[in-house]
Amino acid sequence: MYLLCLIAQILFSIVFTTEHPIFEFKNTRYWSQLAGSTFILVYGVEFFVLNHEHFGSLQIPVLIYCIAITFMGIAAVLRNLKSGSRSYFLILAGAILFIASDSLLASEKFIYPDMNLGIPVLVSYYAAIILISLGLVKAEVSGSTENN
């Protein structure tokens, strides 16, 4: 299951980054994207560093997963705003919920094994998938109407 989640993170990252050239910081809007991506990077690093002793023999796989989900979050922040602001914010909210869901899941599995976070994990996970899906559909519809 964890391998499937890792594959999903990688595929989301590919979808988010193939839509536009990233790292074009020409005006204030792009600087806010830089700030958002920096926040996600700091969160991803901090989550791993502060909790790595709880991961035991799974430190390397968890590190790889942390890198993948952090990159997915950064790719969502750096998406092209020209694809439509509603699409942009739906996907960004979905990516943030995906990170929250996986953070809760890791916390339950490694840090607080006695906590039952199943419902918050599932709610945030499915909400993330729905938001990302709606955002991608919205981007596709916006893109196809602009081309006509």
Side-chain angles (χ1 to χ4, degrees):
M1 174 166 164
Y2 297 115
L3 181 60
L4 292 176
C5 290
L6 176 62
I7 291 169
Q9 299 309 322
I10 293 168
L11 291 176
F12 281 138
S13 298
I14 291 168
V15 169
F16 296 163
T17 57
T18 56
E19 162 180 27
H20 71 290
I22 53 179
F23 303 120
E24 288 186 4
F25 300 108
K26 296 179 181 173
N27 60 36
T28 308
R29 177 178 67 202
Y30 295 110
W31 286 106
S32 65
Q33 288 176 293
L34 180 62
S37 60
T38 301
F39 176 78
I40 289 175
L41 177 64
V42 169
Y43 176 79
V45 170
E46 182 181 29
F47 185 84
F48 182 81
V49 169
L50 292 178
N51 299 305
H52 74 279
E53 69 274 357
H54 298 285
F55 303 142
S57 64
L58 295 176
Q59 281 190 12
I60 299 300
V62 172
L63 175 63
I64 291 168
Y65 194 81
C66 282
I67 290 168
I69 198 163
T70 299
F71 183 75
M72 185 271 306
I74 291 170
V77 170
L78 294 178
R79 284 182 67 248
N80 190 347
L81 284 170
K82 292 177 191 165
S83 64
S85 62
R86 180 166 290 173
S87 165
Y88 177 84
F89 288 110
L90 284 169
I91 290 174
L92 180 59
I96 290 169
L97 278 174
F98 216 126
I99 292 169
S101 170
D102 285 358
S103 297
L104 289 170
L105 185 62
S107 296
E108 179 184 38
K109 176 143 180 79
F110 298 110
I111 304 164
Y112 306 109
D114 295 335
M115 280 185 110
N116 185 5
L117 297 174
I119 292 175
V121 167
L122 289 176
V123 168
S124 57
Y125 173 79
Y126 286 113
I129 295 297
I130 290 168
L131 289 172
I132 290 171
S133 299
L134 288 173
L136 290 173
V137 168
K138 191 109 181 114
E140 186 64 32
V141 169
S142 297
S144 65
T145 57
E146 288 174 6
N147 294 334
N148 292 333

